[in-house]
Each structure stands twice: as C-alpha cells, then as structure tokens.
Amino acid sequence: GNSVTQMEGPVTLSEEAFLTINCTYTATGYPSLFWYVQYPGEGLQLLLKATKADDKGSNKGFEATYRKETTSFHLEKGSVQVSDSAVYFCAFWGNTGNQFYFGTGTSLTVIP
Amino acid sequence: EAGVAQSPRYKIIEKRQSVAFWCNPISGHATLYWYQQILGQGPKLLIQFQNNGVVDDSQLPKDRFSAERLKGVDSTLKIQPAKLEDSAVYLCASSLEAPSGIETQYFGPGTRLLVL
C-alpha cells in the first residue's frame, strides 16, 4: 500500500550545519512529492514540491530532488538557521485513493 | 489573503461527550479537507469535500464522526460520542481546485482535542 517513511527525530544541529532529512515512499506510479513544514504554534505550510522524476524543488535554501530509482525525496539545506527549527513532513499525493499520505514528521532544533 | 481559520484552538472533554470543530477555508477555495493528527504521527485524511459534496470519506469513522459543508464554504466536523483514542489535533485544509496531484493545500492552525 501507499506509505511514507521518514527519518526519525528529533534532530538537533548547530547553526550553519548541513541538514539532511531522509524520506522514502511506497506508491503506485510516480506521484508528486512534497515537503511541508510546521513552525511552533502554526499550521502546516508547503515548503517545496516536485511533480516528476529528477525535478528539484527548492525554497528558503531547502532543496529536495525526486529520485525515481530510489523512491526518495530527501530534504537538504546547506546552512541551517535557528529560525528553521520546526517539524518537517514528507508527503505525496497517491494516484490511487486520491489522497495525501504524510510521513510521521521530523522535529528539527537548531541551536545558536 | 486570510488563511484557513479554525475554532476552537483547544478543547478538553470527557469520553462519551460530543464535540464540534469549525473551519472556514480560504475564500474561493473549492476543496476542503479534514485531517486527524495523533501525537507522533503524520496527518491522516478523514474527509474531503469538493464544494458541498463529499469526494472521499473512506477513512472517516462514520459510527461517531460526521462532517458537513452545507453551502460549499465553511465546514463542521463532529464527534459523538468521543473516545479516548480521539485525542488528537484536527486539521482543516483547503485548496483552490480539485485535487490534481500537484495542488497545494493550505492548512489551518488546528484544533487540539483532549478526551479524558
């Protein structure tokens, strides 16, 4: 069935460190892939997305590349800031069942 | 542009009581979603409306949960009677068009429910 496996947290990094949050998916076909972010006290917000294989989504210094061969969509940022502290969710839109599937979320804390 | 509004933000009830949540989507958004997010898990879709019609409610526990979107704008989600395992954050989201696989969903801040 459809599912998302996301790197478990919590993750704690120092400011300016490199960030990778792993995400792999199981789906029928080649769905669009998304990263959502939830800042403390706020609702989920779209961070970036990619709609086909080899596409790279990017926003606010974050990047993720749609890797069809490894069914992965890992989130990366070269230099994190304290303001990046949030929970990050990987998700995809299932072609069957017509609904969103979310990972369990990865909590990131960036310390000065 | 105003975002998705939800109320209340927090609710504490005892098991077997009833509770209702309200959502007002972004103006002009045709599609509205309700999600349940249990602590430590990702959001799970409960029901999806296209205007005032239900598109998908396959994961809604219909023996106790109900939802409506009568005029195709705001929506209510009700639980009656509540169980301990219903403790979660209930998220409302909306999107401009019907789900196409690439449509962006905009989420409200959620209602945190605690059932004692």
Side-chain angles (χ1 to χ4, degrees):
Chain A
N2 294 324
S3 67
V4 179
T5 301
Q6 204 176 320
M7 175 175 147
E8 287 193 19
V11 174
T12 302
L13 294 174
S14 297
E15 207 164 21
E16 300 183 0
F18 185 85
L19 168 72
T20 299
I21 300 178
N22 290 337
C23 170
T24 58
Y25 65 91
T26 300
T28 303
Y30 305 109
S32 297
L33 303 174
F34 302 78
W35 277 100
Y36 275 81
V37 59
Q38 187 169 33
Y39 297 104
E42 299 183 17
L44 285 160
Q45 304 173 22
L46 178 67
L47 180 60
L48 54 83
K49 67 182 182 185
T51 58
K52 61 182 186 294
D54 299 325
D55 266 4
K56 178 184 285 187
S58 62
N59 186 25
K60 299 182 181 180
F62 290 88
E63 293 183 340
T65 301
Y66 190 156
R67 301 288 187 199
K68 182 178 68 174
E69 62 278 8
T70 55
T71 62
S72 65
F73 194 52
H74 304 323
L75 182 69
E76 296 182 337
K77 186 172 185 181
S79 175
V80 293
Q81 305 300 312
V82 172
S83 57
D84 294 326
S85 297
V87 181
Y88 293 82
F89 292 89
C90 184
F92 72 91
W93 186 266
N95 291 331
T96 57
N98 212 30
Q99 62 170 273
F100 243 41
Y101 295 88
F102 282 89
T104 54
T106 302
S107 175
L108 169 68
T109 300
V110 180
I111 55 177
Chain B
E1 158 182 276
V4 176
Q6 288 188 250
S7 67
R9 292 295 306 275
Y10 306 92
K11 190 73 177 179
I12 300 174
I13 62 173
E14 295 188 349
K15 60 182 179 183
R16 291 189 290 273
Q17 286 188 322
S18 301
V19 64
F21 313 127
W22 175 82
C23 171
N24 191 24
I26 293 173
S27 177
H29 279 199
T31 308
L32 185 147
Y33 314 78
W34 282 103
Y35 289 86
Q36 180 192 58
Q37 186 177 13
I38 293 172
L39 187 64
Q41 299 181 18
K44 182 185 81 171
L45 181 70
L46 293 175
I47 189 167
Q48 175 183 317
F49 292 94
Q50 181 71 19
N51 297 310
N52 61 347
V54 175
V55 174
D56 186 335
D57 63 357
S58 57
Q59 299 203 75
L60 187 74
K62 298 181 187 63
D63 57 333
R64 299 185 298 106
F65 286 65
S66 63
E68 59 184 14
R69 192 186 185 198
L70 291 176
K71 297 182 179 179
V73 181
D74 56 354
S75 174
T76 56
L77 176 70
K78 297 179 182 177
I79 308 175
Q80 180 180 10
K83 293 185 175 181
L84 297 178
E85 58 261 35
D86 297 332
S87 295
V89 177
Y90 291 85
L91 298 168
C92 180
S94 68
S95 63
L96 184 60
E97 302 289 344
S100 61
I102 60 173
E103 192 70 20
T104 296
Q105 295 185 34
Y106 297 85
F107 285 81
T111 295
R112 190 176 297 274
L113 173 68
L114 179 60
V115 181
L116 302 176

XYZ file of all heavy atoms in Angstrom, chain A residues 18-76:
475
model
N 25.001 21.465 8.151
C 24.312 20.900 6.986
C 23.188 19.984 7.464
O 23.367 19.202 8.385
C 25.298 20.115 6.126
C 24.713 19.589 4.858
C 24.660 20.377 3.724
C 24.195 18.300 4.797
C 24.101 19.905 2.546
C 23.642 17.809 3.625
C 23.595 18.615 2.482
N 22.047 20.091 6.799
C 20.874 19.307 7.180
C 20.499 18.327 6.077
O 20.444 18.704 4.902
C 19.681 20.222 7.448
C 18.315 19.536 7.588
C 18.238 18.768 8.908
C 17.186 20.551 7.495
N 20.236 17.098 6.464
C 19.583 16.120 5.582
C 18.502 15.428 6.380
O 18.764 14.933 7.480
C 20.559 15.048 5.061
O 21.586 15.672 4.317
C 19.830 14.056 4.184
N 17.301 15.392 5.834
C 16.207 14.609 6.406
C 15.776 13.630 5.319
O 15.337 14.034 4.244
C 15.021 15.467 6.842
C 15.441 16.485 7.901
C 13.905 14.574 7.397
C 14.328 17.420 8.353
N 15.927 12.344 5.609
C 15.628 11.322 4.614
C 14.139 11.026 4.514
O 13.422 11.021 5.517
C 16.363 10.031 4.955
C 17.861 10.157 4.764
O 18.335 10.996 4.024
N 18.613 9.332 5.461
N 13.694 10.767 3.289
C 12.310 10.400 3.039
C 12.266 9.424 1.883
O 12.841 9.680 0.825
C 11.482 11.632 2.702
S 9.809 11.259 2.103
N 11.600 8.299 2.086
C 11.337 7.359 1.001
C 9.843 7.065 0.983
O 9.158 7.203 1.997
C 12.118 6.047 1.156
O 11.763 5.448 2.413
C 13.608 6.279 1.108
N 9.368 6.651 -0.185
C 7.933 6.435 -0.307
C 7.657 5.120 -1.020
O 8.503 4.607 -1.757
C 7.267 7.593 -1.051
C 7.709 7.706 -2.499
C 7.002 7.053 -3.508
C 8.823 8.446 -2.848
C 7.401 7.133 -4.821
C 9.240 8.535 -4.160
C 8.531 7.870 -5.146
O 8.943 7.940 -6.441
N 6.468 4.617 -0.774
C 5.955 3.449 -1.490
C 4.632 3.868 -2.098
O 3.712 4.282 -1.385
C 5.732 2.259 -0.544
O 6.972 1.912 0.075
C 5.198 1.057 -1.309
N 4.558 3.791 -3.418
C 3.354 4.263 -4.093
C 3.201 3.564 -5.436
O 4.155 2.996 -5.968
C 3.429 5.776 -4.308
N 2.004 3.647 -5.949
C 1.744 3.165 -7.309
C 2.058 4.286 -8.281
O 1.587 5.417 -8.107
C 0.271 2.753 -7.447
O -0.021 1.763 -6.459
C 0.006 2.200 -8.827
N 2.876 3.999 -9.262
C 3.205 5.013 -10.253
C 4.196 6.024 -9.726
O 5.003 5.733 -8.838
N 4.112 7.236 -10.235
C 5.072 8.281 -9.896
C 4.325 9.526 -9.415
O 4.039 10.430 -10.193
C 5.944 8.579 -11.122
C 6.615 7.330 -11.649
C 6.218 6.759 -12.855
C 7.605 6.696 -10.918
C 6.811 5.591 -13.311
C 8.202 5.537 -11.372
C 7.801 4.984 -12.571
O 8.381 3.834 -13.027
N 4.040 9.544 -8.127
C 3.238 10.655 -7.599
C 4.048 11.923 -7.446
O 5.282 11.892 -7.450
C 2.827 10.135 -6.215
C 3.976 9.255 -5.812
C 4.416 8.582 -7.078
N 3.369 13.048 -7.291
C 4.029 14.290 -6.904
C 4.456 14.193 -5.450
O 3.762 13.593 -4.630
C 3.071 15.470 -7.084
O 2.728 15.618 -8.436
N 5.596 14.800 -5.144
C 6.176 14.695 -3.801
C 6.272 16.081 -3.168
O 6.533 17.073 -3.858
C 7.563 14.060 -3.868
C 7.620 12.685 -4.528
C 9.076 12.224 -4.663
C 6.821 11.668 -3.729
N 6.091 16.132 -1.861
C 6.014 17.402 -1.152
C 6.797 17.345 0.161
O 6.924 16.291 0.771
C 4.547 17.724 -0.780
C 3.598 17.801 -1.939
C 3.102 16.647 -2.538
C 3.175 19.024 -2.430
C 2.215 16.705 -3.603
C 2.285 19.096 -3.498
C 1.817 17.933 -4.078
N 7.296 18.503 0.570
C 7.745 18.704 1.941
C 6.918 19.838 2.535
O 6.823 20.922 1.962
C 9.231 19.065 2.013
C 10.130 17.879 1.971
C 10.815 17.391 0.900
C 10.457 17.024 3.070
N 11.545 16.279 1.256
C 11.341 16.025 2.589
C 10.094 16.990 4.420
C 11.868 15.018 3.398
C 10.613 15.988 5.228
C 11.488 15.017 4.712
N 6.315 19.544 3.692
C 5.592 20.548 4.460
C 6.363 20.829 5.744
O 7.048 19.952 6.274
C 4.177 20.071 4.812
C 3.155 20.320 3.734
C 3.035 19.460 2.650
C 2.309 21.424 3.796
C 2.094 19.695 1.653
C 1.365 21.665 2.806
C 1.266 20.795 1.737
O 0.338 21.031 0.759
N 6.218 22.051 6.262
C 6.897 22.433 7.496
C 5.866 23.007 8.468
O 4.905 23.661 8.062
C 8.023 23.452 7.222
C 7.501 24.711 6.565
C 8.764 23.810 8.506
N 6.062 22.702 9.726
C 5.164 23.212 10.771
C 6.008 23.919 11.818
O 6.704 23.268 12.610
C 4.366 22.071 11.389
C 3.293 22.505 12.360
C 2.377 21.357 12.737
O 2.798 20.204 12.804
N 1.121 21.653 12.990
N 5.959 25.246 11.811
C 6.672 26.026 12.807
C 5.880 26.012 14.109
O 4.659 25.813 14.099
C 6.885 27.450 12.320
C 7.735 27.535 11.082
C 7.168 27.771 9.825
C 9.118 27.342 11.136
C 7.935 27.831 8.681
C 9.894 27.393 9.992
C 9.306 27.641 8.771
O 10.076 27.675 7.644
N 6.535 26.224 15.235
C 5.856 26.168 16.532
C 4.626 27.068 16.569
O 4.691 28.252 16.255
C 6.937 26.643 17.502
C 8.221 26.296 16.837
C 7.985 26.480 15.376
N 3.495 26.484 16.941
C 2.260 27.246 17.081
C 1.555 27.592 15.790
O 0.548 28.310 15.797
N 2.065 27.093 14.656
C 1.466 27.434 13.370
C 0.964 26.184 12.647
O 1.252 25.058 13.034
C 2.481 28.165 12.483
C 2.981 29.465 13.080
C 3.924 30.197 12.131
O 3.934 29.880 10.934
O 4.640 31.092 12.610
N 0.217 26.411 11.577
C -0.260 25.304 10.762
C 0.794 24.830 9.786
O 1.832 25.459 9.603
N 0.528 23.709 9.156
C 1.429 23.175 8.139
C 1.511 24.129 6.957
O 0.506 24.674 6.505
C 0.917 21.822 7.643
C 1.102 20.636 8.569
C 0.149 19.511 8.187
C 2.532 20.147 8.503
N 2.724 24.285 6.428
C 2.919 25.128 5.250
C 3.701 24.335 4.218
O 4.629 23.597 4.573
C 3.739 26.376 5.580
C 3.222 27.242 6.674
C 4.195 28.351 7.014
O 5.045 28.734 6.212
N 4.081 28.892 8.209
N 3.358 24.518 2.956
C 4.131 23.896 1.899
C 5.522 24.512 1.857
O 5.672 25.731 1.779
C 3.440 24.089 0.548
C 4.185 23.520 -0.651
C 4.232 21.994 -0.575
C 3.537 23.972 -1.954
N 6.540 23.666 1.889
C 7.912 24.148 1.788
C 8.397 24.047 0.342
O 8.932 24.998 -0.208
C 8.821 23.338 2.715
C 10.295 23.707 2.738
C 10.486 25.153 3.171
C 11.087 22.760 3.641
N 8.218 22.874 -0.247
C 8.602 22.697 -1.645
C 7.943 21.445 -2.197
O 7.435 20.633 -1.429
C 10.130 22.617 -1.793
C 10.887 21.601 -0.958
C 10.868 20.231 -1.606
C 12.328 22.042 -0.738
N 7.971 21.332 -3.519
C 7.373 20.151 -4.144
C 8.077 19.837 -5.449
O 8.770 20.688 -6.016
C 5.882 20.362 -4.386
C 5.532 21.409 -5.419
C 4.022 21.552 -5.536
C 3.649 22.579 -6.615
N 2.175 22.811 -6.664
N 7.893 18.606 -5.916
C 8.415 18.173 -7.213
C 7.381 17.249 -7.841
O 6.834 16.381 -7.156
C 9.750 17.453 -7.056
N 7.106 17.466 -9.102
C 5.984 16.749 -9.713
C 6.396 15.614 -10.629
O 5.552 14.815 -11.030
C 5.096 17.718 -10.501
O 5.901 18.358 -11.489
C 4.500 18.768 -9.586
N 7.686 15.515 -10.982
C 8.108 14.380 -11.802
C 9.556 14.030 -11.505
O 10.286 14.812 -10.887
C 7.920 14.691 -13.284
C 8.703 15.855 -13.815
C 8.376 16.072 -15.287
C 9.256 17.150 -15.903
N 9.006 18.478 -15.348
N 9.937 12.867 -11.978
C 11.272 12.330 -11.702
C 12.361 13.311 -12.129
O 12.262 13.955 -13.176
C 11.442 10.994 -12.401
N 13.378 13.410 -11.266
C 14.555 14.259 -11.464
C 14.276 15.746 -11.249
O 15.207 16.551 -11.309
C 15.183 14.051 -12.838
C 15.656 12.634 -13.035
O 16.121 12.026 -12.048
O 15.537 12.111 -14.154
N 13.029 16.108 -10.989
C 12.722 17.503 -10.630
C 13.362 17.833 -9.294
O 13.430 16.992 -8.404
C 11.205 17.694 -10.497
C 10.587 18.190 -11.780
O 11.300 18.317 -12.788
O 9.366 18.447 -11.771
N 13.796 19.063 -9.149
C 14.305 19.540 -7.868
C 13.390 20.649 -7.381
O 13.202 21.658 -8.067
C 15.739 20.064 -8.006
C 16.307 20.612 -6.700
C 17.685 21.219 -6.885
C 18.732 20.153 -7.042
N 20.114 20.728 -7.056
N 12.832 20.452 -6.186
C 12.072 21.517 -5.549
C 12.997 22.319 -4.651
O 13.905 21.759 -4.036
N 12.769 23.618 -4.564
C 13.616 24.440 -3.704
C 12.838 25.624 -3.167
O 11.936 26.156 -3.829
C 14.855 24.918 -4.461
O 14.483 25.717 -5.555
N 13.218 26.035 -1.939
C 12.564 27.172 -1.301
C 13.312 27.485 -0.011
O 13.671 26.558 0.732
C 11.097 26.853 -0.996
C 10.338 28.049 -0.458
O 10.694 29.200 -0.717
N 9.267 27.792 0.259
N 13.545 28.742 0.256
C 14.174 29.199 1.501
C 15.496 28.508 1.769
O 15.872 28.282 2.923
C 13.233 28.957 2.694
C 11.913 29.684 2.611
C 11.071 29.427 3.851
C 9.745 30.142 3.759
N 8.891 29.915 4.953
N 16.226 28.128 0.743
C 17.512 27.469 0.905
C 17.426 25.955 1.032
O 18.438 25.261 1.042
N 16.208 25.437 1.124
C 15.989 23.996 1.182
C 15.857 23.442 -0.239
O 15.339 24.116 -1.124
C 14.709 23.662 1.959
C 14.785 23.928 3.434
C 14.458 25.168 3.945
C 15.178 22.920 4.300
C 14.529 25.417 5.306
C 15.243 23.156 5.668
C 14.919 24.404 6.174
N 16.313 22.206 -0.418
C 16.191 21.537 -1.710
C 15.828 20.076 -1.505
O 16.190 19.482 -0.479
C 17.518 21.591 -2.484
C 17.949 22.952 -2.927
C 19.233 22.886 -3.761
O 19.949 21.870 -3.658
O 19.502 23.846 -4.495
N 15.135 19.518 -2.487
C 14.883 18.076 -2.493
C 14.738 17.649 -3.944
O 14.078 18.342 -4.728
C 13.626 17.729 -1.703
N 15.326 16.511 -4.291
C 15.288 16.006 -5.664
C 14.498 14.718 -5.714
O 14.718 13.805 -4.914
C 16.706 15.767 -6.208
O 17.425 17.005 -6.156
C 16.660 15.263 -7.641
N 13.587 14.639 -6.657
C 12.728 13.474 -6.856
C 13.575 12.369 -7.516
O 13.931 12.471 -8.692
C 11.577 13.897 -7.770
C 10.433 12.947 -7.957
C 9.199 13.436 -8.339
C 10.561 11.581 -7.798
C 8.117 12.597 -8.536
C 9.499 10.728 -7.998
C 8.267 11.246 -8.371
O 7.204 10.404 -8.565
N 13.868 11.329 -6.763
C 14.681 10.211 -7.258
C 13.784 9.003 -7.467
O 13.424 8.313 -6.509
C 15.793 9.864 -6.262
C 16.748 11.003 -5.964
C 17.653 11.300 -7.116
N 18.682 12.302 -6.763
C 19.359 12.996 -7.663
N 19.118 12.840 -8.975
N 20.280 13.848 -7.255
N 13.435 8.766 -8.724
C 12.529 7.661 -9.036
C 13.180 6.318 -8.729
O 12.541 5.401 -8.211
C 12.131 7.755 -10.512
C 11.152 6.708 -10.972
C 10.782 6.922 -12.433
C 11.931 6.663 -13.369
N 11.549 6.735 -14.794
N 14.476 6.192 -9.056
C 15.133 4.893 -8.931
C 15.253 4.437 -7.484
O 15.290 3.237 -7.219
C 16.510 4.947 -9.607
C 17.487 5.930 -9.001
C 17.306 7.359 -9.461
O 16.309 7.653 -10.154
O 18.162 8.188 -9.121
N 15.327 5.387 -6.560
C 15.427 5.020 -5.142
C 14.153 5.367 -4.378
O 14.105 5.209 -3.148
C 16.612 5.741 -4.470
O 16.479 7.159 -4.687
C 17.939 5.242 -5.028
N 13.124 5.803 -5.077
C 11.854 6.270 -4.493
C 12.122 7.147 -3.269
O 11.608 6.902 -2.167
C 10.903 5.108 -4.149
O 11.510 4.247 -3.159
C 10.545 4.313 -5.371
N 12.941 8.161 -3.472
C 13.317 9.017 -2.353
C 13.136 10.486 -2.687
O 13.072 10.878 -3.865
C 14.773 8.754 -1.954
O 15.642 9.136 -2.998
N 13.055 11.295 -1.638
C 12.863 12.742 -1.785
C 13.483 13.392 -0.538
O 12.805 14.010 0.265
C 11.368 13.054 -1.911
C 11.044 14.447 -2.383
C 11.613 14.975 -3.527
C 10.121 15.225 -1.689
C 11.290 16.244 -3.975
C 9.799 16.500 -2.118
C 10.373 17.010 -3.255
N 14.781 13.261 -0.401
C 15.481 13.729 0.798
C 15.564 15.252 0.825
O 15.886 15.883 -0.189
C 16.890 13.142 0.854
C 16.937 11.649 0.798
N 16.006 10.842 1.412
C 17.808 10.809 0.163
C 16.292 9.584 1.194
N 17.378 9.527 0.434
N 15.338 15.820 1.997
C 15.382 17.278 2.176
C 16.778 17.694 2.636
O 17.332 17.071 3.553
C 14.349 17.707 3.212
C 14.228 19.206 3.471
C 13.638 19.922 2.250
C 13.347 19.463 4.700
N 17.331 18.746 2.027
C 18.667 19.201 2.378
C 18.697 20.720 2.486
O 17.954 21.422 1.803
C 19.691 18.763 1.318
C 19.857 17.271 1.207
C 20.903 16.883 0.186
O 21.183 17.699 -0.722
O 21.458 15.774 0.286
